[in-house]
Structures are given as C-alpha cells and as structure tokens.
Amino acid sequence: MSNNWASVLAAAVLLSAAPAAAPAAAQSTAPSRQAETLDYVVRPGDTLIDLATAYMNRPLDYRRVQRENRVANPRRLSIGRTLALPVDLLRADPDEARIAGFRGAVSLNQGGVSGAPTAGQIVRESAVLSTGANAFVRLALSDGSHVVVPSNSRVRVSRLRRYAINGAVDHALTVETGRAESRVTPRTRPGGFAIRTPVSVSAVRGTDFRVSFDEASERSATEVLEGAVVVASGEAEQLAAANEGVSAAAGAVRLLPLLPAPALARPDAPQTQPQVVFEVQPLPGAERYRGRIAQDAGMIEAFAEADSAPGGPLAFGDMEEGAYFLRLTALSPEGLEGKATTYSFIRARNGVGGLASAMDQRDRRRFYRFRWEAEGVGEASFRFQLWREAEDGGVDGPLLIDQPGLTDEAFTLSDLPPGVYSWRVQGARHRFGRLLEAWSEPQQLRIGR
C-alpha cells in the first residue's frame, strides 16, 4: 500500500463513519509512517514478548516493534505509553460468513465442492458464489454487514479475517463478473472492507455501495450511496462520496455524479396484463433502466430483475398475484447505476381474451353472438360496447350498444344492419381492496347484405 493510498483511505474513513476503538487499541488519526500502523496503549503487565505471542504472526516479531519504537527493554514497558504496531505483523485469524437468504439458481463452490447453498450455511474464505438469471443470494458477515450478489454474477469471498489484537474484521470480495451490493458496518482499524474487480479495488471502512464488472468491456463501476469509497485502478485513485460513482478501465478512473432516481409513467396502475411491464418516464442521461422486484421494500426477498432496452419499457415475465415492490434505477452510458426509488404495486390478472363472434339465422332473423373469456382470479363482471365504423374513414359513429353489469361471458344481438362494426369488452373485478378494470382490444365485425 502506498503512502498516498493510505492517506486517501484515511480520508474515506473519516467521511464514512469513524468507528470506536477497542479497549486495547486506539486509532492513529494521522499516520505519517511509511508502513501502516496501529496505536496500542500499554496496560499493566504488558511486555513486547507477550504482545507478540498473543497478537502477532510470530513471537520474534517483537524485535521489529522494539526497533521501530526505540524500546530499550522488551520486558519493561511504561504503562500508558503508545506503541506503533505495524499492521503487517498483526495476526488475523480466519473469520466466517453465512448465507442469510437466497432465491433462484444459486451455486456455492467451497472446498472443492459445488452445489446449491442452504439458509444459514457457513461460508469461508475462498468460497465462490454464482447466480443465474433472476437469482439472488445475500451474504451476512460476522459484524452485521451484508453483501447481495444479484443475478448473473460470480463473486469470490477472497478474504475473511479477524485481527486478534482487537477483534477488528477485515473482509474482501472479488467480483469476477456481474455485480455485488454492500452495506458495510463501520469498521475498527486495522480492519476494513474491499471489493475488487480485475481492474479496480474499492475500499471502505463503513458505507453503502455497489460494484460491478463487465467482462466484455473490461470496465468496472462503483456507485456510492452512503459514506465514501476509495477506488484504485493501477496507479490511478479516486475518492467517491455519496451520490458519486467511479468508472474504471485500463488503469484510468473517472469520477461522475450518479443519475437521479427515475420515475414510472403510471405508478399507481395495477399490473393486470399477461406480462408485468413498467413504462418509465425518460430521464436525461440514462441509457437504460433497471428494475428489481421483491416481496419487501428492503429488497431482501428479491426474485426478479430486468434491464430495459434503450428507450424501451421494463419487461418481466408472468408472476403470481400479490403485493410487490419495484426498485427502479437508471444506468448511464459509463455503466454507472444511479440512485433508486421504490414503488409498491399490485399484481392481479384482469383481462378479457378469446374474443369471437358468430352469426346464427333463425326464422328469417339473424342473431349475432359475441363471446369472450375472463382472465384472472375471482368473480368478474363485464361491459359490452359496439359502434359502427365510418365508411369514409372519418370519425366512428356513436356507441350503439353500451351494456354494463354482465355476468355471462357472452352477449347476443339481432338484426344488425349491414356495415362494419367494432366491439370490445371490459372486465372488472375487486382484488386486494381495489377495483380492477381492463378493456380488450377492439374487434371488427363485417355484416353484408
């Protein structure tokens, strides 16, 4: 770690949140030494040899501490004296994480064995988490931090350690492809948290941020939602504060503001059609939009995710009826995902399909029977409308039939004059405390002489 990197990281810690030090160790507020150090306040009974045995990688490491702190006798230390302990000498024991939840096609490769995880399963250093389409896994770290691995991603748990001297945790993950979203509890030095990609390192000691890596363009994106993050790529470094993002590629980093949260065109409209589709209001600077659907507003139980095509709507497949939440973001041309807004919505099928008409002649009279099929759950009522189309291509004529309150999936008329007609049906039902109404597409009926 370079001096410059260490100083920028210290600034990031101050901006995000300054954690309280453990009783045995006090933080260095402005380290000026070449190697990163941790200040330790001597307590009664301490000796350098005992400290090295208890907290360092090797018992003989006390010699370097003695030399760098100019201690005359390693067995005699003044109570209250502050020692600068090199962090690279401090022993970090293995730590553990656990699977807090998952959904969809998730794979955990650990100890040479690959398979689906189980809720609460212990995850250790070097494990790899992989997700398929519309799959999510949430990793709970030992200090209360959480990492979400969204769909189509592969993330390696590259470091899970806990320092013996004060219990500070040091965790790192590597996004090999796709994305990782982190909410990190403020860390005590010398602990920390970092997410690496093949082209960048994003390091913090307490913040809320996201990291992604696109293999095709070999570009990573880091988006900071709270606190601050140091992003390093090669010799280039950048400090990003809340609502800022860093695009990194080939040793170059760009600091950019995050896009504001986009908005739905019809936020209160229930999802009644065969496919769940959201129209998004155009947002300047957005290349596409991303939606995530969950059964809770915190997106803990997320189960579907989709990106829109440029200028297109957000389209999901069919899903069960119920109350859901949509988290909506916009993505810039640099691949940075902006700020999010969350909408609640109702999914309840309510449509009219299978429209057909037939003519039956009885006793020199013509009867026209219109049929349809209700789509959805629960009792429905229908409204039938029919009008005559203008022969000259002008404005259609007024409604000839407008019949609400139908309970049958059919309606019969007789003796319609020759001409071209259009008809449609509205289905209505009460679901989830709301009246749902949906019209069919107009159908055409031609009656000859």
Side-chain angles (χ1 to χ4, degrees):
M1 178 182 294
S2 67
N3 291 336
N4 185 35
W5 200 97
S7 63
V8 175
L9 180 56
V13 175
L14 292 174
L15 282 170
S16 57
Q27 292 189 106
S28 297
T29 56
S32 58
R33 304 170 184 87
Q34 193 165 19
E36 185 184 3
T37 61
L38 180 76
D39 286 353
Y40 179 85
V41 179
V42 176
R43 298 180 299 181
D46 281 342
T47 71
L48 284 187
I49 296 172
D50 290 340
L51 291 176
T53 302
Y55 303 130
M56 298 182 191
N57 295 316
R58 300 173 304 170
L60 292 180
D61 284 340
Y62 80 87
R63 294 176 176 174
R64 178 176 161 190
V65 178
Q66 180 183 7
R67 181 175 63 254
E68 294 185 2
N69 287 269
R70 299 181 181 180
V71 175
N73 186 343
R75 298 184 184 276
R76 294 178 62 88
L77 297 173
S78 299
I79 297 173
R81 176 178 177 176
T82 299
L83 299 173
L85 306 181
V87 169
D88 62 334
L89 297 184
L90 299 178
R91 190 178 81 247
D93 299 321
D95 195 19
E96 295 178 343
R98 64 180 178 84
I99 300 294
F102 67 95
R103 189 158 185 164
V106 176
S107 173
L108 171 64
N109 188 309
Q110 184 166 241
V113 179
S114 183
T118 58
Q121 182 174 355
I122 297 300
V123 176
R124 298 181 175 85
E125 195 172 276
S126 299
V128 177
L129 288 164
S130 302
T131 58
N134 289 324
F136 300 83
V137 59
R138 185 163 57 95
L139 191 66
L141 304 181
S142 60
D143 68 333
S145 301
H146 285 84
V147 177
V148 174
V149 181
S151 56
N152 300 315
S153 300
R154 185 174 65 252
V155 175
R156 181 180 299 276
V157 183
S158 47
R159 182 173 173 85
L160 286 178
R161 295 299 172 107
R162 181 181 292 272
Y163 284 97
I165 192 169
N166 63 355
V169 291
D170 192 18
H171 298 151
L173 292 89
T174 300
V175 177
E176 297 179 347
T177 185
R179 294 171 285 141
E181 302 175 0
S182 308
R183 188 167 187 87
V184 183
T185 301
R187 302 285 173 106
T188 300
R189 295 188 66 245
F193 182 88
I195 293 186
R196 300 180 174 89
T197 74
V199 299
S200 67
V201 178
S202 302
V204 300
R205 284 201 175 97
T207 193
D208 188 358
F209 72 113
R210 305 180 297 237
V211 174
S212 63
F213 177 69
D214 181 67
E215 288 184 296
S217 62
E218 295 187 342
R219 181 179 63 187
S220 75
T222 301
E223 302 113 17
V224 183
L225 306 178
E226 293 179 9
V229 176
V230 174
V231 180
S233 180
E235 296 299 320
E237 297 173 347
Q238 189 62 255
L239 176 65
N243 300 324
E244 293 181 329
V246 175
S247 176
V253 294
R254 293 182 61 197
L255 180 67
L256 298 165
L258 296 184
L259 289 173
L264 292 179
R266 296 190 302 147
D268 296 328
Q271 290 289 331
T272 61
Q273 299 305 306
Q275 304 297 315
V276 174
V277 178
F278 297 94
E279 294 287 344
V280 183
Q281 294 182 11
L283 179 68
E287 184 177 72
R288 64 187 192 277
Y289 304 97
R290 175 169 293 157
R292 180 178 296 180
I293 294 178
Q295 293 176 318
D296 64 295
M299 296 288 129
I300 302 300
E301 298 295 331
F303 64 90
E305 188 174 63
D307 283 12
S308 71
L314 270 174
F316 297 84
D318 190 10
M319 64 181 63
E320 296 180 357
E321 294 195 351
Y324 298 99
F325 294 88
L326 168 73
R327 191 185 76 178
L328 183 63
T329 57
L331 286 89
S332 71
E334 295 80 13
L336 291 172
E337 185 177 354
K339 292 188 284 186
T341 185
T342 301
Y343 292 92
S344 62
F345 70 94
I346 295 297
R347 167 60 171 166
R349 284 287 290 115
N350 180 51
V352 179
L355 277 72
S357 60
M359 187 271 291
D360 181 26
Q361 187 163 347
R362 301 191 305 269
D363 299 329
R364 297 183 180 182
R365 296 185 64 187
R366 291 180 178 180
F367 294 87
Y368 298 92
R369 187 167 178 82
F370 302 87
R371 296 191 301 270
W372 58 87
E373 296 177 359
E375 298 175 346
V377 177
E379 294 185 0
S381 63
F382 307 99
R383 181 176 183 175
F384 177 88
Q385 290 184 344
L386 179 139
W387 62 94
R388 188 164 185 169
E389 294 189 1
E391 296 181 359
D392 59 0
V395 179
D396 292 338
L399 287 175
L400 301 177
I401 303 294
D402 187 5
Q403 182 63 56
L406 300 175
T407 56
D408 293 335
E409 298 177 350
F411 188 72
T412 302
L413 293 172
S414 63
D415 300 328
L416 286 173
V420 180
Y421 297 85
S422 288
W423 62 283
R424 65 176 185 170
V425 179
Q426 182 193 67
R429 53 167 49 88
H430 285 87
R431 295 286 290 162
F432 302 100
R434 299 183 64 174
L435 174 62
L436 307 180
E437 297 176 322
W439 284 102
S440 70
E441 291 295 323
Q443 306 294 306
Q444 193 175 80
L445 172 66
R446 292 179 176 272
I447 300 179
R449 296 185 183 276

